Amino acid sequence: MKDKLRYFNKKLVLVMAVSLLLGAVCGEILYVITDNKAVIIVFFVMGLLFLVSSTMLIIVSSNLEESDRLKAAKKQAEDASKAKSYFLASMSHEIRTPINTVLGMDELIVREARDPIIKQYAVNIRNAGNTLLSIINDILDFSKLEAGKLETVNAEYDLSAVITELVGMIKARADKKGLKLNVIVNPDMPHILVGDAVRIKQCVINLLSNAVKYTKEGEVTLKVNYSPAYGETILMEVSVADTGVGIKKEDMDRLFTPFVRVGDEENLSIEGSGLGMTIVKNILSIMDSVLNVDSEYGVGSEFYFTLKQEVKDWEKIGNYEETYKRIIGNESVYQEQFTAPNARILIVDDMELNLSVAEGLLKKTRIRIDTALGARAALKYIEKNEYDILFIDHRMPEIDGIELLHMIRKDRGNINSRKPCIALTANALVGAKDEYLKEGFEDYLSKPINSSQLEKMLLLYLPWDKVETAPGDNELVSTENTGESNERKEDALRLRVLSAGDAELLDALKLLWKREKSG
């Protein structure tokens, strides 16, 4: 800016000097010729007018140049943003695609392995794969935060199930390092709340992961407490404390800097993207909360925050250790959410391994599954058969998933032209779901495939008359009245949709359903 002003001032001074000199010289020459002093005054005024007009021209010219520079800078920033988005989209797809295969095949091993050693190997692979996936998700969430498009979605959730899931994700890592994991939950705390359980888990697991990573010996403690707020709300208090290395005072300012890890020189062997704390801070900010930190170098750290949550059911959470044992016991064996032997779906992908994973994950649902290796093969299947749902990958050679969808929709004579089409893709970037919905897909599911989410998606879009209840629902459906049995069957399936594969939440919903029916 200073250089620009200096350049402008030089121009102005030069024009002033030339204008005045030109007016003076011309006036002097004419005075000598005409011997009339008025001529000098006239030319001096003309010189001033020339000076003013020239100054105005310089100002306009400078403004135009500045406008051009701003436009060029804006275009450069937009091009850089597009390049970044393209890079993230490409990397997300290229990394998530093989992870989908690894985690999908591993899930099949976990389900079917009878040898406990083999099963433990498979669990270890799953844990490592989920760690890699969490790093990728951190980078994608950071891009969403930068774009201001990270959103929270409030829904009813069971706090005990959320805590159990957090413990399940971190316990194996703590045990491996010989750390004691303490979980302290206020037994009087209400257990059915309304909030964004997904984002809360994301924040807490980041804090727990850091605590385990930076603690060589001792313990990690998760505390969940509450204080009454007003009406049907509480202030939920969450803290994660450790006996780890702690944070130096000079490093505190760098704690929330993206891609920076404090104490890098001492922690070169610790995995991570350096984004966890930044993401936690920003997510909590979106939820009107603040992440607080107390730390002493060489002693340990405590991270804590408070969130306002609506209470849906004031029933106390009780003894959490007993609840944890019961939930873990229920999760030991995979149980399909439903069966649908009369339903038929088509899965389209350009990788055979991805098709094998999807088939394997849905094997126990007994759905009839056709798999098409690419869009052209899919078009042949669609011409011959009727499907209840079509799952379509996006990035495929020759004809991509969006082009395939448009071809299906345009062929009004085909029986599948109005069937539900779901984007099953490795694209998990900002606005991906909105993009697919805008193109005409009914819904969106990202890879790696989560079997529970996949089954939930099927329950949402399969015709009710083609879906059969899971074995665990027989107690709800059993009745001598055929009409009432069908009604109860629909209720049971709706409960499974609402539970989203959460066994603890499903049990709670069944209990509420029974109370309502008996009342």
Side-chain angles (χ1 to χ4, degrees):
M1 179 61 75
K2 289 181 179 178
D3 291 339
K4 185 171 70 176
L5 288 172
R6 194 178 294 116
Y7 177 67
F8 176 78
N9 289 336
K10 285 180 179 179
K11 271 187 175 181
L12 190 58
V13 169
L14 181 62
V15 169
M16 287 175 66
V18 170
S19 300
L20 293 173
L21 181 62
L22 184 62
V25 170
C26 291
E28 186 65 28
I29 292 172
L30 288 172
Y31 173 69
V32 171
I33 296 172
T34 63
D35 194 25
N36 188 346
K37 291 183 179 181
V39 173
I40 297 177
I41 297 173
V42 170
F43 272 89
F44 182 74
V45 172
M46 288 176 64
L48 287 176
L49 290 174
F50 179 73
L51 170 63
V52 172
S53 60
S54 299
T55 303
M56 294 300 295
L57 286 171
I58 290 172
I59 293 172
V60 171
S61 175
S62 297
N63 287 339
L64 289 173
E65 289 176 8
E66 176 65 13
S67 177
D68 289 341
R69 278 193 289 269
L70 288 174
K71 286 179 181 178
K74 182 181 178 183
K75 186 177 185 305
Q76 187 177 10
E78 289 174 348
D79 290 344
S81 179
K82 288 179 182 177
K84 174 187 168 185
S85 297
Y86 178 77
F87 171 77
L88 285 172
S90 299
M91 291 307 298
S92 171
H93 185 273
E94 295 305 320
I95 296 174
R96 280 174 171 269
T97 297
I99 289 180
N100 177 61
T101 302
V102 172
L103 292 181
M105 290 294 185
D106 185 65
E107 175 64 22
L108 299 180
I109 296 172
V110 171
R111 289 183 186 181
E112 299 180 12
R114 296 292 176 264
D115 186 325
I117 296 177
I118 298 297
K119 192 164 188 172
Q120 187 57 51
Y121 289 158
V123 169
N124 291 340
I125 292 172
R126 180 171 63 189
N127 291 337
N130 285 330
T131 299
L132 177 58
L133 188 61
S134 69
I135 294 173
I136 297 168
N137 288 338
D138 277 351
I139 295 171
L140 294 177
D141 278 344
F142 182 70
S143 71
K144 292 178 184 178
L145 286 166
E146 278 192 318
K149 293 185 178 179
L150 190 71
E151 298 177 348
T152 59
V153 179
N154 292 333
E156 184 177 318
Y157 68 92
D158 188 330
L159 180 61
S160 58
V162 168
I163 297 172
T164 299
E165 189 174 344
L166 289 167
V167 173
M169 286 190 281
I170 203 66
K171 191 175 188 307
R173 295 168 65 181
D175 290 344
K176 187 177 180 180
K177 293 186 70 174
L179 302 175
K180 183 182 179 183
L181 179 63
N182 303 311
V183 182
I184 303 172
V185 182
N186 185 337
D188 295 328
M189 188 161 187
H191 77 117
I192 303 294
L193 305 175
V194 176
D196 193 332
V198 173
R199 294 302 178 191
I200 293 172
K201 283 188 287 186
Q202 186 178 4
C203 290
V204 180
I205 197 61
N206 259 305
L207 299 178
L208 286 170
S209 296
N210 275 354
V212 171
K213 281 192 292 187
Y214 292 100
T215 303
K216 293 182 180 179
E217 58 182 19
E219 59 188 28
V220 172
T221 302
L222 169 64
K223 291 182 182 179
V224 183
N225 201 352
Y226 85 103
S227 59
Y230 55 87
E232 297 295 308
T233 61
I234 62 168
L235 293 176
M236 182 170 68
E237 303 158 5
V238 180
S239 77
V240 175
D242 63 64
T243 57
V245 295
I247 304 168
K248 297 176 182 177
K249 288 184 178 179
E250 58 266 30
D251 287 334
M252 290 296 286
D253 291 339
R254 299 195 303 147
L255 185 60
F256 300 109
T257 304
F259 302 106
V260 172
R261 293 185 300 169
V262 296
D264 269 347
E265 60 278 1
E266 306 109 27
N267 304 300
L268 291 174
S269 61
I270 296 176
E271 82 280 355
S273 62
L275 287 172
M277 288 296 102
T278 305
I279 290 170
V280 171
K281 179 185 175 183
N282 282 280
I283 290 175
L284 289 176
S285 177
I286 292 172
M287 295 193 291
D288 298 322
S289 183
V290 177
L291 180 63
N292 301 291
V293 186
D294 293 333
S295 185
E296 184 178 347
Y297 187 66
V299 177
S301 304
E302 182 180 10
F303 293 80
Y304 54 98
F305 61 88
T306 301
L307 274 178
K308 186 168 73 174
Q309 300 285 277
E310 181 186 340
V311 179
K312 194 70 176 180
D313 188 339
W314 285 91
E315 183 179 350
K316 297 176 182 180
I317 198 169
N319 187 319
Y320 174 72
E321 288 187 7
E322 294 178 1
T323 303
Y324 175 75
K325 291 176 183 177
R326 177 165 51 83
I327 294 174
I328 291 300
N330 291 339
E331 290 181 348
S332 58
V333 179
Y334 162 77
Q335 175 65 61
E336 67 277 12
Q337 298 183 46
F338 67 96
T339 57
N342 296 320
R344 189 172 188 178
I345 66 172
L346 176 67
I347 304 174
V348 187
D349 203 298
D350 62 323
M351 290 187 63
E352 288 189 21
L353 283 173
N354 286 341
L355 295 173
S356 298
V357 166
E359 273 191 294
L361 292 175
L362 294 175
K363 182 167 66 175
K364 287 196 173 184
T365 65
R366 295 164 55 205
I367 293 174
R368 297 165 63 196
I369 302 171
D370 288 337
T371 57
L373 191 62
R376 296 197 184 280
L379 290 170
K380 293 179 180 178
Y381 275 106
I382 292 166
E383 288 176 4
K384 299 176 183 177
N385 309 300
E386 179 181 1
Y387 296 101
D388 296 300
I389 302 175
L390 295 84
F391 288 93
I392 303 173
D393 183 31
H394 178 189
R395 296 194 176 189
M396 297 184 290
E398 296 186 29
I399 302 173
D400 69 26
I402 292 176
E403 291 172 324
L404 175 60
L405 173 71
H406 292 167
M407 294 170 72
I408 294 170
R409 295 291 190 238
K410 287 178 181 177
D411 187 6
R412 296 299 178 89
N414 190 286
I415 197 168
N416 295 297
S417 65
R418 309 315 300 170
K419 296 290 185 179
C421 293
I422 296 168
L424 185 60
T425 172
N427 180 7
L429 281 180
V430 176
K433 182 174 182 178
D434 291 338
E435 175 191 339
Y436 293 120
L437 296 180
K438 184 178 179 181
E439 292 292 345
F441 283 97
E442 269 70 28
D443 220 318
Y444 156 88
L445 199 60
S446 66
K447 298 174 184 174
I449 301 172
N450 179 297
S451 60
S452 176
Q453 291 178 356
L454 178 60
E455 289 186 11
K456 180 186 177 184
M457 192 74 72
L458 287 162
L459 276 175
L460 284 172
Y461 292 100
L462 283 175
W464 285 104
D465 59 348
K466 292 188 178 182
V467 180
E468 297 179 3
T469 52
D473 295 329
N474 289 336
E475 55 179 309
L476 270 67
V477 178
S478 180
T479 178
E480 295 180 0
N481 186 311
T482 305
E484 186 180 351
S485 177
N486 290 333
E487 183 182 333
R488 289 189 174 193
K489 172 187 168 183
E490 290 190 7
D491 285 345
L493 292 173
R494 288 191 179 96
L495 292 182
R496 288 198 169 272
V497 172
L498 290 171
S499 69
D502 188 319
E504 178 71 9
L505 181 56
L506 179 60
D507 287 343
L509 290 171
K510 284 182 178 179
L511 182 61
L512 290 172
W513 182 89
K514 288 177 183 176
R515 287 177 181 174
E516 184 181 341
K517 289 295 181 182
S518 61

